[in-house]
Amino acid sequence: MPRLVADPAARRRFLAGAAYALTLLGAFWIIAASCGTPERGARLFDAGRLEEARPLLAAAALRGSVPSSYRLGLLLESGDDGPPDLRRALALYRHAATKGLVAAMTRAGDLERAVAGDDAAAARFYDKAARRDDPAAMARLGVMLFTGTGVPADRDAALALLRRAADAGDARAATTLGQALLALAEAGDPRGGDPAQAAALFQAAGDAGEPEALYRLADLYATGKGVPRDAAKAATLRRKAADAGYAPAAYALGLDYLSGQGVSAYPLEAARLFTRAAEAGHVPAMLKLADMYAAGLGVFRDTHRALVLYDAAGAASDTAAATLCRLFAAGPEERRDAARAARFCAKAAAAGDAPSATLLGLGMVRGRLPGDMAAGTALLSRAAWAGEPQAMYAMALLHLAGTGVAGNPAEAFRWCKLAAEAGVPEAKTLLAALSEEEFPSAANLAKAMDFYREAAEAGDAEAGFALGSLLSKGLAGPPDFAEARKWYEQAAAAGDSRAQFNLGLMYLTGKGGPADDAKALALMREAASRGDPQARSNVATMTLTGRGTAVDPREAFRWYRLAAGQGYPQAQAMLAGFYYEGRVVPRDFESALFWLALASAKPGGDPLLVRAGKAKTVLEKRLTPDQIDRVRQRLAAFHPADFDPAAEQAVLAAIKFLPPSARGPGFPAATGARSQAVAPPPAGEADPKALF
């Protein structure tokens, strides 16, 4: 047994040393306890008592506690105990990460991207955590290396990291690896391997409870990549993923129910699925559900509900805003909405969508959307310089018209050429017209032919008509009526009334192919039905003379009347003859003089109009001053009518034809089963032939 210290001084020194040692040991014990056992705030957090934990975590974090800093960051990030505070959470994660906490490194990387927008800093945090074998960090860094985001792209390193994370059991990493392999395979990169590899990864991740993996696997079954094509299996997988809360899967399954792919078509179930996805913030589902409410498909029609969904989708996504810009600015007439078009087009244009900027600019320039000419022109100019073909074409038109910009044919030609090279058929047609008219020369006419041909081959009816005209007139070489007929045929089929008229003339005359009066009349009628006054006059003449159809003076009168009302002088002259003769309508010298006066106003060298002028002089001598005064009043009030089918029906309905039993001058006589035109009366003042 050791001997007790007898010396008092030595004894005091011994006791002081023992006390110091005990103090030091207690300090080490406190430090070890604090590091090895969570503080009370951390224990409360882990137990789910967040409200009690928060002040304790904050106090411990101020003292530099790593576990408390990390847990407080989670609390601030989630907003479970108050408003989210992501910046403060990021600061806490950074602190914990610098102290070596792996989980904090990954969370810090996530918030560096979401809050600070610093991909490079995020990649550094992910790299540190990945070196400590954190699967989540490996997966995130692998994606960044694959896409070259925040770090130089290195696909081999990316695949290696993703595979390590997947092998460690990270279902999310397995899903991402499968997507990466598919992307490489589609790009022809041998590193992508067989799609079956991706399918196996998706299957394993799906079995582990990853809903996106089920969704991706469903896409493979739908397309037959890496697995047998099986639409029903795809729908089943989408149902599982949707039931797990994955909104894109609910949307895709909704599309299946709309189209009947793998399931029975059931719009009501589609609407339910779209509703579920939309409530989760899935923008395409919002748009599709809005379309269904607008159309009353699978749901009761509800325009207000549709607009609410459209507004929510447009506010949430620039891509959706671009879609809605097109819908509300250039969609079906009943869906147009100037205020929404302006709002969504402006949003999408601000995000860099040139087609939206073009629509907004055009709307402003045309006065259809809020904004002035200067703002609209500026938008179109920016979109044109950004390479938007339709904006280039619009700039060409503005320079031609001198609207919003200085009128400059050369600048118009430049923009038009760029738009034509970008594939705008109308621009090719305009470019040809500019080559033909603004800069006429033999070389430019040849270019015009090439431009017209390109546009016509792309289906532009205007170009087909112009090409047919140049070929038939021989303006850029010898006339080629057969080729002209070919292009007139195309433009006529597309509804171009001028092409229908010209093609009708070619069938009448036999130019470029066989003559066919019936075909000629059918084409003329098509052009006449679209309001072409010359075609209407020709239809009248053919009907009057029985060319391509049976003689029908009443039908001829109707067509002459429509063309005359539009201001076509030859029809006015012929109409005057009907009134003068009293043929199919009661004789009316005042109406005859009225139409003769209009027809002979500018006769030029037309023989019919010259004769109309002579007939007018003769007829004026037969009328009283009162009658002539009434005719003058009618002439003063006359304005050529625009093409208006409804108004024209009223004009035709007002015609008072003579009854079939009437036997006025020039009225058909009933001799046999088929009526024949009665020969005109003997020559004299009352003979229209003498007048015309």
Side-chain angles (χ1 to χ4, degrees), residues 5 28 241 339 526 540 543 637:
V5 179
F28 277 121
E526 283 288 334
T543 306

Side-chain angles (χ1 to χ4, degrees), residues 56-75:
L56 296 173
L57 291 173
L62 283 174
R63 294 194 300 270
S65 168
V66 171
S68 293
S69 295
Y70 176 68
R71 286 169 173 79
L72 183 59
L74 293 174
L75 195 60

Side-chain angles (χ1 to χ4, degrees), residues 347-370:
K347 185 177 191 294
D353 187 68
S356 295
T358 301
L359 282 174
L360 182 58
L362 287 172
M364 290 178 173
V365 166
R366 294 170 178 168
R368 296 178 183 174
L369 295 180

Side-chain angles (χ1 to χ4, degrees), residues 384-439:
W385 282 105
E388 172 58 27
Q390 290 295 339
M392 296 175 184
Y393 180 56
M395 289 302 296
L397 295 177
L398 290 175
H399 276 289
L400 274 180
T403 304
V405 293
N408 187 338
E411 190 69 1
F413 188 89
R414 185 179 74 83
W415 281 118
C416 196
K417 189 171 187 296
L418 290 170
E421 290 170 351
V424 179
E426 310 95 292
K428 294 178 181 178
T429 304
L430 178 59
L431 188 61
L434 290 172
S435 299
E436 180 186 356
E437 299 168 11
E438 295 289 339
F439 308 99

Side-chain angles (χ1 to χ4, degrees), residues 32-49:
S34 66
C35 292
T37 306
E39 300 93 339
R40 184 164 179 266
R43 292 197 302 273
L44 290 171
F45 178 90
D46 294 344
R49 295 161 65 179

Side-chain angles (χ1 to χ4, degrees), residues 241-315:
D243 290 343
Y246 193 63
Y251 172 69
L253 185 59
L255 294 178
D256 288 342
Y257 274 104
L258 272 185
S259 63
Q261 293 292 317
V263 292
S264 298
Y266 191 11
L268 178 59
E269 180 62 12
R272 289 173 181 157
L273 288 159
F274 292 146
T275 299
R276 187 193 304 180
E279 289 173 350
H282 192 264
V283 173
M286 295 180 194
L287 292 174
K288 184 61 70 174
L289 185 59
D291 289 342
M292 294 181 75
Y293 274 110
L297 176 63
V299 291
F300 289 111
R301 187 170 186 176
D302 188 337
T303 302
H304 174 72
R305 176 66 177 151
L307 292 176
V308 168
L309 285 162
Y310 284 137
D311 289 344

Side-chain angles (χ1 to χ4, degrees), residues 13-29:
R13 287 194 297 273
F14 174 78
L15 291 174
Y20 178 75
L22 288 172
T23 303
L24 188 61
L25 182 62
F28 277 121
W29 183 86

Side-chain angles (χ1 to χ4, degrees), residues 25-110:
L25 182 62
F28 277 121
W29 183 86
I30 292 170
I31 292 172
S34 66
C35 292
T37 306
E39 300 93 339
R40 184 164 179 266
R43 292 197 302 273
L44 290 171
F45 178 90
D46 294 344
R49 295 161 65 179
L50 305 182
E51 188 174 347
E52 298 175 62
R54 182 168 184 146
L56 296 173
L57 291 173
L62 283 174
R63 294 194 300 270
S65 168
V66 171
S68 293
S69 295
Y70 176 68
R71 286 169 173 79
L72 183 59
L74 293 174
L75 195 60
L76 293 171
E77 182 183 358
S78 66
D80 285 340
D81 190 42
D85 189 342
L86 299 184
R87 293 195 175 279
R88 190 177 168 203
L90 175 57
L92 289 163
Y93 290 148
R94 284 171 177 164
H95 167 70
T98 58
K99 298 299 182 180
L101 187 62
V102 174
M105 296 173 189
T106 304
R107 298 304 305 157
D110 292 345

